[in-house]
Amino acid sequence: MHPPIIIGGGVAGLTAAVKLAQRGLRPLVLEANPEWVGGRLRQTAPTEFSHNGRTWQFSQEHAVHGIWDGYVNFKALLAELGIQPNYVPAQDETWILGDGRRVGRAHIGRTIRHSLIPAPLHYMQLMFKPSFVRLLNVHDWASLPRVAGGLFAAMSIDPLAEQNPLHGLNLADMTSGWSPHLRALFAGLARNALAAEPSQIPAAGWIAFLRFYTLLRRAAWGFDYLPAGGGTAVCEPLAAKIRDLGGQIELGAEVQMILQGAEGGWQVQYTQNGRSHIAPAGQLVLAIDAPSAQNLLLASPDTAEQAAMLTFPQGIPTVIVRLWFTATASGVSEAGMFSGDFCFDNYFWLDQLQDEYRAWREATGGGVLEVHIYGTPHLLEQPDSMLIKQVVQDVTRAFPDLRGSWVQAIVQRNPATHTLFSVGGRGVHLGIRTPWPHLYACGDWVYHENPALYLERAVTTGLAAANALLGEANLAPHPILPHPAPERFAGWLVGRWTAVRLRKLARKKG
Ligand SMILES: Cc1cc2nc3c(=O)[nH]c(=O)nc-3n(C[C@H](O)[C@H](O)[C@H](O)COP(=O)(O)OP(=O)(O)OC[C@H]3O[C@@H](n4cnc5c(N)ncnc54)[C@H](O)[C@@H]3O)c2cc1C
């Protein structure tokens, strides 16, 4: 029997590989990136520059990641393997609202997660916060009942459990009629969450995000940072474990086509260092991003016909800009979200999160800022120099203490592989078990009834794909931990609102 092949060495593929290797199956991971495993959690090329006669080198990553309270399988996987990053707990997040010269700020993260009011009413605690209240005007107050109605509607639908894509409905539709500030707040939150413009964000993806990350539990909005880049802290140690357990990882191995073998297995055609290879596999795990999965399945004659009937989430590009300063900003938390007329969507003070960047602050008294730009095509198309100019201008508008202290910037353009999370209809959204024998799928876009998104979804589906494959070989499955249940009141409301909605639907159909 040929060993299983995992196509893609992101978090989902590495999870599946380590779980198979733990059962003695010696998987082969084929990863297209020539240098690093980890996919969207990988390292990227380090940056080096001189400042005041000293040469500085910083390792880089795809983007800073938050490890949220509900990431039970992600954390359990690392703990079980003895990979124990010293997580850095998030303190607070500042919402910064830009409107020309007027810039408003409110610290909202801690208030939401430590609210005294039970979910889903916990956001009401913000009304006792003068900085938040000052950002609202009379139109905002008038539109609060509509906002509450929208949130309650989100409680009555569980798009993942129901496999309900809410066809044709996007976030812009859900927030139409809301006041401009509240729309801006939610647009900012949605861009941070799903990395796209409200009109691009499918309502089902938005509701799934709200339910998992904030609506049903106060603590769900709590999270940690990794103490170093995700590649260093998570993916490289995970890859080392796979190798220790007898698995193999080939970098720079880009799979071009998969073919069903005569004896029920698969043949995987890939290129590496400009040469073509064919590897036989007993079973395959497809662990690549959604656009690459769609391309591969359509390019492979044995899968093309059925793949053409599936829907795949859109892949979106992101841009990350890192800026070094000789000053720091006062009165803001270590991270936060922008909305209004800023050209970026969120920020992270790396010198408060990662040791390597702390050294810069200790030596220069300055900070290092990472900002993310999501879903604004005209901005993403600008050359680096223009983008940096605009980002620096907006950064000094948001943080006036930084004026005249900018030293260095790098722009990192991430390919359009990031999942714009959506839920496909029954039978058209690829799940763990695919329409093809001995071929399983995992990744942050793959259908599974669990409510998690992103890294936790990558790990959960990686575990589920490994278990499905182990089942074929009559080997014991690995446990998949349940995700935290809603708070009592939220749980009761979810049941009630769902019942009301279903009764309404039944009446309509009747
Ligand atoms: C800017 C940004 C910020 C983010 N922040 C967070 C966050 O704070 N918290 C969070 O949970 N998540 C965050 N995410 C999302 C998170 O990174 C992803 O959900 C997760 O890494 C997805 O893992 P994956 O294994 O499913 O896919 P990927 O990481 O995309 O892995 C797929 C792998 O397949 C490889 N591949 C593709 N095609 C082929 C082929 N033909 N042959 C071989 N290999 C191939 C790719 O090179 C890649 O390594 C963020 C993402 C971005 C872009």
mmCIF file of all heavy atoms in Angstrom, residues 7-13 30-33 38-41 62-66 68 71 213 253-255 287-289 292 296 318 320 372 374 414 418 443-444 453-456 458, ligand 1:
data_model
loop_
_atom_site.group_PDB
_atom_site.id
_atom_site.type_symbol
_atom_site.label_atom_id
_atom_site.label_comp_id
_atom_site.label_asym_id
_atom_site.label_seq_id
_atom_site.Cartn_x
_atom_site.Cartn_y
_atom_site.Cartn_z
ATOM 1 N N ILE A 7 -1.721 17.110 0.018
ATOM 2 C CA ILE A 7 -1.368 18.187 -0.913
ATOM 3 C C ILE A 7 -1.589 19.503 -0.191
ATOM 4 O O ILE A 7 -2.723 19.865 0.120
ATOM 5 C CB ILE A 7 -2.224 18.120 -2.196
ATOM 6 C CG1 ILE A 7 -2.129 16.724 -2.812
ATOM 7 C CG2 ILE A 7 -1.777 19.185 -3.195
ATOM 8 C CD1 ILE A 7 -3.026 16.534 -4.038
ATOM 9 N N GLY A 8 -0.507 20.217 0.109
ATOM 10 C CA GLY A 8 -0.598 21.502 0.812
ATOM 11 C C GLY A 8 -0.080 21.390 2.241
ATOM 12 O O GLY A 8 -0.552 20.556 3.008
ATOM 13 N N GLY A 9 0.898 22.223 2.555
ATOM 14 C CA GLY A 9 1.512 22.201 3.895
ATOM 15 C C GLY A 9 1.154 23.426 4.700
ATOM 16 O O GLY A 9 2.008 24.006 5.373
ATOM 17 N N GLY A 10 -0.113 23.869 4.632
ATOM 18 C CA GLY A 10 -0.590 24.909 5.550
ATOM 19 C C GLY A 10 -0.975 24.241 6.870
ATOM 20 O O GLY A 10 -0.699 23.044 7.082
ATOM 21 N N VAL A 11 -1.646 24.985 7.732
ATOM 22 C CA VAL A 11 -1.981 24.447 9.059
ATOM 23 C C VAL A 11 -2.884 23.210 8.937
ATOM 24 O O VAL A 11 -2.708 22.230 9.660
ATOM 25 C CB VAL A 11 -2.628 25.546 9.925
ATOM 26 C CG1 VAL A 11 -3.215 24.979 11.198
ATOM 27 C CG2 VAL A 11 -1.575 26.601 10.244
ATOM 28 N N ALA A 12 -3.833 23.242 7.993
ATOM 29 C CA ALA A 12 -4.740 22.097 7.840
ATOM 30 C C ALA A 12 -3.956 20.856 7.403
ATOM 31 O O ALA A 12 -4.113 19.771 7.975
ATOM 32 C CB ALA A 12 -5.825 22.427 6.817
ATOM 33 N N GLY A 13 -3.103 21.009 6.396
ATOM 34 C CA GLY A 13 -2.325 19.871 5.880
ATOM 35 C C GLY A 13 -1.352 19.342 6.925
ATOM 36 O O GLY A 13 -1.191 18.122 7.083
ATOM 37 N N LEU A 30 3.190 17.428 0.138
ATOM 38 C CA LEU A 30 3.718 18.164 -1.018
ATOM 39 C C LEU A 30 3.292 19.621 -0.876
ATOM 40 O O LEU A 30 2.096 19.932 -0.897
ATOM 41 C CB LEU A 30 3.168 17.575 -2.317
ATOM 42 C CG LEU A 30 3.536 16.114 -2.591
ATOM 43 C CD1 LEU A 30 2.851 15.613 -3.859
ATOM 44 C CD2 LEU A 30 5.064 15.934 -2.712
ATOM 45 N N GLU A 31 4.261 20.501 -0.684
ATOM 46 C CA GLU A 31 3.963 21.919 -0.461
ATOM 47 C C GLU A 31 4.602 22.749 -1.572
ATOM 48 O O GLU A 31 5.808 22.641 -1.815
ATOM 49 C CB GLU A 31 4.492 22.353 0.917
ATOM 50 C CG GLU A 31 4.585 23.851 1.155
ATOM 51 C CD GLU A 31 3.290 24.631 0.872
ATOM 52 O OE1 GLU A 31 2.224 24.212 1.339
ATOM 53 O OE2 GLU A 31 3.368 25.664 0.165
ATOM 54 N N ALA A 32 3.807 23.604 -2.198
ATOM 55 C CA ALA A 32 4.294 24.371 -3.356
ATOM 56 C C ALA A 32 5.357 25.408 -2.974
ATOM 57 O O ALA A 32 6.270 25.678 -3.759
ATOM 58 C CB ALA A 32 3.110 25.065 -4.031
ATOM 59 N N ASN A 33 5.265 25.968 -1.780
ATOM 60 C CA ASN A 33 6.223 27.025 -1.418
ATOM 61 C C ASN A 33 7.629 26.425 -1.327
ATOM 62 O O ASN A 33 7.837 25.415 -0.662
ATOM 63 C CB ASN A 33 5.822 27.652 -0.075
ATOM 64 C CG ASN A 33 6.652 28.890 0.217
ATOM 65 O OD1 ASN A 33 7.831 28.813 0.503
ATOM 66 N ND2 ASN A 33 6.026 30.044 0.100
ATOM 67 N N GLY A 38 3.504 26.139 6.149
ATOM 68 C CA GLY A 38 2.641 26.991 6.991
ATOM 69 C C GLY A 38 1.581 27.747 6.224
ATOM 70 O O GLY A 38 0.660 28.285 6.831
ATOM 71 N N GLY A 39 1.703 27.846 4.881
ATOM 72 C CA GLY A 39 0.681 28.560 4.113
ATOM 73 C C GLY A 39 0.520 29.974 4.628
ATOM 74 O O GLY A 39 1.483 30.726 4.754
ATOM 75 N N ARG A 40 -0.710 30.316 4.982
ATOM 76 C CA ARG A 40 -0.984 31.694 5.432
ATOM 77 C C ARG A 40 -0.474 31.962 6.850
ATOM 78 O O ARG A 40 -0.581 33.072 7.343
ATOM 79 C CB ARG A 40 -2.486 31.973 5.324
ATOM 80 C CG ARG A 40 -2.903 32.363 3.932
ATOM 81 C CD ARG A 40 -4.399 32.358 3.798
ATOM 82 N NE ARG A 40 -4.909 31.050 3.483
ATOM 83 C CZ ARG A 40 -6.158 30.658 3.703
ATOM 84 N NH1 ARG A 40 -7.009 31.486 4.291
ATOM 85 N NH2 ARG A 40 -6.557 29.446 3.369
ATOM 86 N N LEU A 41 0.095 30.954 7.496
ATOM 87 C CA LEU A 41 0.714 31.187 8.812
ATOM 88 C C LEU A 41 2.239 31.028 8.693
ATOM 89 O O LEU A 41 2.943 30.776 9.660
ATOM 90 C CB LEU A 41 0.144 30.188 9.853
ATOM 91 C CG LEU A 41 0.455 30.490 11.323
ATOM 92 C CD1 LEU A 41 -0.245 31.766 11.784
ATOM 93 C CD2 LEU A 41 0.046 29.339 12.239
ATOM 94 N N HIS A 62 3.488 36.081 7.124
ATOM 95 C CA HIS A 62 2.346 36.394 6.254
ATOM 96 C C HIS A 62 1.507 37.518 6.882
ATOM 97 O O HIS A 62 1.090 38.449 6.216
ATOM 98 C CB HIS A 62 1.513 35.122 6.117
ATOM 99 C CG HIS A 62 0.616 35.103 4.936
ATOM 100 N ND1 HIS A 62 1.024 34.735 3.688
ATOM 101 C CD2 HIS A 62 -0.695 35.400 4.814
ATOM 102 C CE1 HIS A 62 0.009 34.794 2.855
ATOM 103 N NE2 HIS A 62 -1.042 35.203 3.508
ATOM 104 N N ALA A 63 1.276 37.428 8.197
ATOM 105 C CA ALA A 63 0.559 38.472 8.959
ATOM 106 C C ALA A 63 0.496 38.031 10.411
ATOM 107 O O ALA A 63 0.514 36.833 10.685
ATOM 108 C CB ALA A 63 -0.871 38.642 8.434
ATOM 109 N N VAL A 64 0.401 39.011 11.312
ATOM 110 C CA VAL A 64 0.188 38.675 12.728
ATOM 111 C C VAL A 64 -1.149 37.952 12.866
ATOM 112 O O VAL A 64 -2.120 38.324 12.211
ATOM 113 C CB VAL A 64 0.158 39.971 13.561
ATOM 114 C CG1 VAL A 64 -0.536 39.768 14.885
ATOM 115 C CG2 VAL A 64 1.561 40.466 13.800
ATOM 116 N N HIS A 65 -1.194 36.914 13.705
ATOM 117 C CA HIS A 65 -2.430 36.148 13.907
ATOM 118 C C HIS A 65 -2.889 36.196 15.357
ATOM 119 O O HIS A 65 -2.066 36.171 16.268
ATOM 120 C CB HIS A 65 -2.212 34.681 13.524
ATOM 121 C CG HIS A 65 -2.299 34.420 12.059
ATOM 122 N ND1 HIS A 65 -1.441 34.972 11.149
ATOM 123 C CD2 HIS A 65 -3.163 33.655 11.346
ATOM 124 C CE1 HIS A 65 -1.770 34.559 9.935
ATOM 125 N NE2 HIS A 65 -2.812 33.766 10.022
ATOM 126 N N GLY A 66 -4.188 36.222 15.536
ATOM 127 C CA GLY A 66 -4.787 36.112 16.868
ATOM 128 C C GLY A 66 -5.267 34.680 17.074
ATOM 129 O O GLY A 66 -5.817 34.063 16.164
ATOM 130 N N TRP A 68 -7.838 32.754 19.132
ATOM 131 C CA TRP A 68 -9.028 33.166 19.879
ATOM 132 C C TRP A 68 -9.418 32.153 20.935
ATOM 133 O O TRP A 68 -9.006 30.991 20.888
ATOM 134 C CB TRP A 68 -10.179 33.427 18.883
ATOM 135 C CG TRP A 68 -9.839 34.576 18.004
ATOM 136 C CD1 TRP A 68 -8.988 34.548 16.932
ATOM 137 C CD2 TRP A 68 -10.222 35.943 18.173
ATOM 138 N NE1 TRP A 68 -8.853 35.814 16.407
ATOM 139 C CE2 TRP A 68 -9.601 36.679 17.153
ATOM 140 C CE3 TRP A 68 -11.050 36.600 19.075
ATOM 141 C CZ2 TRP A 68 -9.772 38.047 17.008
ATOM 142 C CZ3 TRP A 68 -11.232 37.967 18.935
ATOM 143 C CH2 TRP A 68 -10.592 38.671 17.916
ATOM 144 N N TYR A 71 -10.465 28.578 20.132
ATOM 145 C CA TYR A 71 -9.586 27.722 19.309
ATOM 146 C C TYR A 71 -9.139 26.496 20.123
ATOM 147 O O TYR A 71 -7.944 26.267 20.359
ATOM 148 C CB TYR A 71 -8.379 28.514 18.824
ATOM 149 C CG TYR A 71 -8.668 29.482 17.698
ATOM 150 C CD1 TYR A 71 -9.964 29.889 17.389
ATOM 151 C CD2 TYR A 71 -7.636 30.008 16.922
ATOM 152 C CE1 TYR A 71 -10.223 30.777 16.363
ATOM 153 C CE2 TYR A 71 -7.878 30.898 15.887
ATOM 154 C CZ TYR A 71 -9.176 31.273 15.611
ATOM 155 O OH TYR A 71 -9.418 32.159 14.591
ATOM 156 N N TYR A 213 -17.348 34.252 17.072
ATOM 157 C CA TYR A 213 -16.337 35.120 17.685
ATOM 158 C C TYR A 213 -16.884 36.121 18.693
ATOM 159 O O TYR A 213 -16.102 36.735 19.397
ATOM 160 C CB TYR A 213 -15.551 35.874 16.606
ATOM 161 C CG TYR A 213 -14.610 34.985 15.832
ATOM 162 C CD1 TYR A 213 -14.996 34.400 14.642
ATOM 163 C CD2 TYR A 213 -13.330 34.722 16.307
ATOM 164 C CE1 TYR A 213 -14.137 33.570 13.936
ATOM 165 C CE2 TYR A 213 -12.462 33.908 15.606
ATOM 166 C CZ TYR A 213 -12.880 33.331 14.424
ATOM 167 O OH TYR A 213 -12.022 32.515 13.735
ATOM 168 N N ALA A 253 7.138 21.677 -4.128
ATOM 169 C CA ALA A 253 6.475 20.605 -4.893
ATOM 170 C C ALA A 253 5.047 21.049 -5.211
ATOM 171 O O ALA A 253 4.164 20.964 -4.351
ATOM 172 C CB ALA A 253 6.473 19.322 -4.074
ATOM 173 N N GLU A 254 4.859 21.550 -6.409
ATOM 174 C CA GLU A 254 3.541 22.082 -6.775
ATOM 175 C C GLU A 254 2.758 21.048 -7.564
ATOM 176 O O GLU A 254 3.176 20.630 -8.649
ATOM 177 C CB GLU A 254 3.710 23.362 -7.608
ATOM 178 C CG GLU A 254 2.366 23.971 -7.891
ATOM 179 C CD GLU A 254 2.463 25.372 -8.467
ATOM 180 O OE1 GLU A 254 3.587 25.925 -8.552
ATOM 181 O OE2 GLU A 254 1.417 25.895 -8.851
ATOM 182 N N VAL A 255 1.634 20.644 -7.015
ATOM 183 C CA VAL A 255 0.842 19.588 -7.654
ATOM 184 C C VAL A 255 0.073 20.179 -8.835
ATOM 185 O O VAL A 255 -0.596 21.203 -8.714
ATOM 186 C CB VAL A 255 -0.117 18.936 -6.628
ATOM 187 C CG1 VAL A 255 -1.018 17.910 -7.306
ATOM 188 C CG2 VAL A 255 0.688 18.296 -5.504
ATOM 189 N N ALA A 287 -5.368 19.690 0.886
ATOM 190 C CA ALA A 287 -5.303 20.657 1.995
ATOM 191 C C ALA A 287 -4.830 22.007 1.472
ATOM 192 O O ALA A 287 -4.008 22.672 2.091
ATOM 193 C CB ALA A 287 -4.371 20.130 3.082
ATOM 194 N N ILE A 288 -5.340 22.388 0.312
ATOM 195 C CA ILE A 288 -4.893 23.645 -0.291
ATOM 196 C C ILE A 288 -6.007 24.691 -0.223
ATOM 197 O O ILE A 288 -7.149 24.373 0.051
ATOM 198 C CB ILE A 288 -4.379 23.421 -1.746
ATOM 199 C CG1 ILE A 288 -5.451 22.814 -2.648
ATOM 200 C CG2 ILE A 288 -3.161 22.523 -1.718
ATOM 201 C CD1 ILE A 288 -4.939 22.446 -4.044
ATOM 202 N N ASP A 289 -5.617 25.948 -0.444
ATOM 203 C CA ASP A 289 -6.584 27.040 -0.369
ATOM 204 C C ASP A 289 -7.658 26.872 -1.449
ATOM 205 O O ASP A 289 -7.456 26.141 -2.427
ATOM 206 C CB ASP A 289 -5.853 28.382 -0.529
ATOM 207 C CG ASP A 289 -4.986 28.376 -1.762
ATOM 208 O OD1 ASP A 289 -3.809 27.927 -1.696
ATOM 209 O OD2 ASP A 289 -5.478 28.768 -2.826
ATOM 210 N N SER A 292 -6.835 27.437 -5.284
ATOM 211 C CA SER A 292 -5.919 26.398 -5.793
ATOM 212 C C SER A 292 -6.642 25.066 -5.897
ATOM 213 O O SER A 292 -6.404 24.288 -6.839
ATOM 214 C CB SER A 292 -4.704 26.240 -4.883
ATOM 215 O OG SER A 292 -4.042 27.453 -4.722
ATOM 216 N N LEU A 296 -6.982 22.929 -9.298
ATOM 217 C CA LEU A 296 -6.434 21.571 -9.398
ATOM 218 C C LEU A 296 -7.517 20.560 -9.776
ATOM 219 O O LEU A 296 -7.308 19.713 -10.654
ATOM 220 C CB LEU A 296 -5.777 21.186 -8.058
ATOM 221 C CG LEU A 296 -5.182 19.786 -7.997
ATOM 222 C CD1 LEU A 296 -4.074 19.603 -9.034
ATOM 223 C CD2 LEU A 296 -4.632 19.482 -6.602
ATOM 224 N N THR A 318 -4.415 40.294 0.243
ATOM 225 C CA THR A 318 -4.293 41.208 1.387
ATOM 226 C C THR A 318 -2.926 41.884 1.286
ATOM 227 O O THR A 318 -2.000 41.326 0.689
ATOM 228 C CB THR A 318 -4.380 40.462 2.730
ATOM 229 O OG1 THR A 318 -3.389 39.431 2.762
ATOM 230 C CG2 THR A 318 -5.744 39.835 2.948
ATOM 231 N N ILE A 320 0.004 43.805 3.736
ATOM 232 C CA ILE A 320 0.455 44.071 5.098
ATOM 233 C C ILE A 320 1.569 45.107 5.000
ATOM 234 O O ILE A 320 2.489 44.943 4.199
ATOM 235 C CB ILE A 320 1.044 42.781 5.736
ATOM 236 C CG1 ILE A 320 0.085 41.596 5.590
ATOM 237 C CG2 ILE A 320 1.463 42.998 7.184
ATOM 238 C CD1 ILE A 320 -1.273 41.780 6.159
ATOM 239 N N HIS A 372 -2.985 46.198 8.314
ATOM 240 C CA HIS A 372 -3.502 45.313 7.261
ATOM 241 C C HIS A 372 -4.456 46.095 6.370
ATOM 242 O O HIS A 372 -5.289 46.860 6.871
ATOM 243 C CB HIS A 372 -4.271 44.136 7.872
ATOM 244 C CG HIS A 372 -3.414 43.225 8.715
ATOM 245 N ND1 HIS A 372 -3.882 42.069 9.273
ATOM 246 C CD2 HIS A 372 -2.119 43.306 9.070
ATOM 247 C CE1 HIS A 372 -2.916 41.479 9.954
ATOM 248 N NE2 HIS A 372 -1.829 42.216 9.855
ATOM 249 N N TYR A 374 -7.338 45.439 3.585
ATOM 250 C CA TYR A 374 -8.189 44.382 3.038
ATOM 251 C C TYR A 374 -9.132 44.964 1.989
ATOM 252 O O TYR A 374 -9.664 46.058 2.171
ATOM 253 C CB TYR A 374 -9.080 43.791 4.135
ATOM 254 C CG TYR A 374 -8.369 43.169 5.308
ATOM 255 C CD1 TYR A 374 -8.778 43.424 6.611
ATOM 256 C CD2 TYR A 374 -7.309 42.286 5.121
ATOM 257 C CE1 TYR A 374 -8.162 42.816 7.702
ATOM 258 C CE2 TYR A 374 -6.691 41.685 6.205
ATOM 259 C CZ TYR A 374 -7.118 41.953 7.493
ATOM 260 O OH TYR A 374 -6.511 41.359 8.555
ATOM 261 N N ASN A 414 0.214 39.773 -0.160
ATOM 262 C CA ASN A 414 -0.141 38.353 -0.060
ATOM 263 C C ASN A 414 -1.059 37.992 -1.222
ATOM 264 O O ASN A 414 -1.949 38.759 -1.574
ATOM 265 C CB ASN A 414 -0.850 38.076 1.268
ATOM 266 C CG ASN A 414 0.069 38.288 2.470
ATOM 267 O OD1 ASN A 414 1.264 38.021 2.387
ATOM 268 N ND2 ASN A 414 -0.463 38.774 3.565
ATOM 269 N N HIS A 418 -6.560 34.069 0.355
ATOM 270 C CA HIS A 418 -7.232 34.132 1.654
ATOM 271 C C HIS A 418 -8.737 33.895 1.464
ATOM 272 O O HIS A 418 -9.351 34.472 0.570
ATOM 273 C CB HIS A 418 -6.969 35.485 2.314
ATOM 274 C CG HIS A 418 -7.503 35.572 3.711
ATOM 275 N ND1 HIS A 418 -7.415 34.522 4.595
ATOM 276 C CD2 HIS A 418 -8.145 36.567 4.366
ATOM 277 C CE1 HIS A 418 -7.981 34.879 5.738
ATOM 278 N NE2 HIS A 418 -8.433 36.102 5.631
ATOM 279 N N GLY A 443 -9.204 22.290 5.313
ATOM 280 C CA GLY A 443 -8.787 23.675 5.085
ATOM 281 C C GLY A 443 -9.814 24.613 5.685
ATOM 282 O O GLY A 443 -10.916 24.181 6.049
ATOM 283 N N ASP A 444 -9.460 25.891 5.769
ATOM 284 C CA ASP A 444 -10.347 26.827 6.465
ATOM 285 C C ASP A 444 -11.593 27.179 5.668
ATOM 286 O O ASP A 444 -12.426 27.944 6.117
ATOM 287 C CB ASP A 444 -9.583 28.103 6.872
ATOM 288 C CG ASP A 444 -9.181 28.953 5.683
ATOM 289 O OD1 ASP A 444 -9.280 28.486 4.523
ATOM 290 O OD2 ASP A 444 -8.759 30.098 5.909
ATOM 291 N N LEU A 453 -13.968 29.283 12.437
ATOM 292 C CA LEU A 453 -13.417 29.786 11.169
ATOM 293 C C LEU A 453 -11.874 29.748 11.257
ATOM 294 O O LEU A 453 -11.302 29.451 12.296
ATOM 295 C CB LEU A 453 -13.868 31.225 10.921
ATOM 296 C CG LEU A 453 -15.189 31.430 10.161
ATOM 297 C CD1 LEU A 453 -16.366 30.881 10.929
ATOM 298 C CD2 LEU A 453 -15.425 32.911 9.890
ATOM 299 N N TYR A 454 -11.239 30.047 10.180
ATOM 300 C CA TYR A 454 -9.797 30.292 10.080
ATOM 301 C C TYR A 454 -8.930 29.194 10.718
ATOM 302 O O TYR A 454 -9.122 28.043 10.426
ATOM 303 C CB TYR A 454 -9.462 31.689 10.602
ATOM 304 C CG TYR A 454 -10.215 32.734 9.794
ATOM 305 C CD1 TYR A 454 -11.051 33.658 10.386
ATOM 306 C CD2 TYR A 454 -10.140 32.722 8.408
ATOM 307 C CE1 TYR A 454 -11.762 34.579 9.632
ATOM 308 C CE2 TYR A 454 -10.851 33.631 7.643
ATOM 309 C CZ TYR A 454 -11.657 34.558 8.264
ATOM 310 O OH TYR A 454 -12.364 35.435 7.514
ATOM 311 N N LEU A 455 -7.951 29.589 11.569
ATOM 312 C CA LEU A 455 -6.977 28.590 12.048
ATOM 313 C C LEU A 455 -7.663 27.424 12.744
ATOM 314 O O LEU A 455 -7.251 26.267 12.595
ATOM 315 C CB LEU A 455 -5.987 29.248 13.015
ATOM 316 C CG LEU A 455 -4.924 30.123 12.364
ATOM 317 C CD1 LEU A 455 -4.102 30.844 13.422
ATOM 318 C CD2 LEU A 455 -3.990 29.301 11.468
ATOM 319 N N GLU A 456 -8.702 27.716 13.524
ATOM 320 C CA GLU A 456 -9.374 26.634 14.244
ATOM 321 C C GLU A 456 -10.111 25.727 13.253
ATOM 322 O O GLU A 456 -10.173 24.524 13.435
ATOM 323 C CB GLU A 456 -10.334 27.223 15.289
ATOM 324 C CG GLU A 456 -11.165 26.205 16.038
ATOM 325 C CD GLU A 456 -10.380 25.248 16.948
ATOM 326 O OE1 GLU A 456 -9.153 25.421 17.084
ATOM 327 O OE2 GLU A 456 -10.993 24.322 17.496
ATOM 328 N N ALA A 458 -9.105 25.249 10.166
ATOM 329 C CA ALA A 458 -8.047 24.504 9.472
ATOM 330 C C ALA A 458 -7.655 23.282 10.306
ATOM 331 O O ALA A 458 -7.530 22.164 9.784
ATOM 332 C CB ALA A 458 -6.844 25.415 9.225
HETATM 333 C C1 LIG B 1 -3.754 38.896 6.564
HETATM 334 C C2 LIG B 1 -4.276 37.661 7.255
HETATM 335 C C3 LIG B 1 -4.522 37.686 8.623
HETATM 336 C C4 LIG B 1 -5.049 36.555 9.263
HETATM 337 N N1 LIG B 1 -5.283 36.598 10.611
HETATM 338 C C5 LIG B 1 -5.808 35.521 11.233
HETATM 339 C C6 LIG B 1 -6.038 35.513 12.632
HETATM 340 O O1 LIG B 1 -5.765 36.493 13.318
HETATM 341 N N2 LIG B 1 -6.565 34.393 13.213
HETATM 342 C C7 LIG B 1 -6.882 33.293 12.464
HETATM 343 O O2 LIG B 1 -7.366 32.301 13.011
HETATM 344 N N3 LIG B 1 -6.651 33.267 11.136
HETATM 345 C C8 LIG B 1 -6.139 34.339 10.508
HETATM 346 N N4 LIG B 1 -5.909 34.297 9.159
HETATM 347 C C9 LIG B 1 -6.350 33.108 8.419
HETATM 348 C C10 LIG B 1 -5.400 31.905 8.603
HETATM 349 O O3 LIG B 1 -4.112 32.280 8.221
HETATM 350 C C11 LIG B 1 -5.919 30.786 7.722
HETATM 351 O O4 LIG B 1 -7.263 30.509 8.061
HETATM 352 C C12 LIG B 1 -5.147 29.476 7.875
HETATM 353 O O5 LIG B 1 -3.765 29.695 7.895
HETATM 354 C C13 LIG B 1 -5.550 28.580 6.701
HETATM 355 O O6 LIG B 1 -4.826 27.387 6.724
HETATM 356 P P1 LIG B 1 -5.050 26.314 5.576
HETATM 357 O O7 LIG B 1 -4.098 25.203 5.841
HETATM 358 O O8 LIG B 1 -6.495 25.992 5.486
HETATM 359 O O9 LIG B 1 -4.702 27.034 4.188
HETATM 360 P P2 LIG B 1 -3.345 27.692 3.685
HETATM 361 O O10 LIG B 1 -2.621 28.281 4.823
HETATM 362 O O11 LIG B 1 -3.703 28.580 2.552
HETATM 363 O O12 LIG B 1 -2.486 26.464 3.159
HETATM 364 C C14 LIG B 1 -2.614 25.928 1.879
HETATM 365 C C15 LIG B 1 -1.233 25.474 1.411
HETATM 366 O O13 LIG B 1 -1.380 24.808 0.173
HETATM 367 C C16 LIG B 1 -0.283 25.147 -0.647
HETATM 368 N N5 LIG B 1 -0.673 24.888 -2.050
HETATM 369 C C17 LIG B 1 -1.591 25.547 -2.799
HETATM 370 N N6 LIG B 1 -1.687 24.985 -4.025
HETATM 371 C C18 LIG B 1 -0.830 23.947 -4.028
HETATM 372 C C19 LIG B 1 -0.489 22.971 -4.996
HETATM 373 N N7 LIG B 1 -1.071 22.946 -6.211
HETATM 374 N N8 LIG B 1 0.460 22.049 -4.689
HETATM 375 C C20 LIG B 1 1.035 22.038 -3.461
HETATM 376 N N9 LIG B 1 0.757 22.943 -2.509
HETATM 377 C C21 LIG B 1 -0.180 23.877 -2.784
HETATM 378 C C22 LIG B 1 -0.046 26.612 -0.339
HETATM 379 O O14 LIG B 1 1.259 27.005 -0.709
HETATM 380 C C23 LIG B 1 -0.265 26.625 1.170
HETATM 381 O O15 LIG B 1 0.915 26.404 1.885
HETATM 382 C C24 LIG B 1 -5.344 35.396 8.510
HETATM 383 C C25 LIG B 1 -5.053 35.359 7.142
HETATM 384 C C26 LIG B 1 -4.535 36.489 6.509
HETATM 385 C C27 LIG B 1 -4.257 36.433 5.039
#
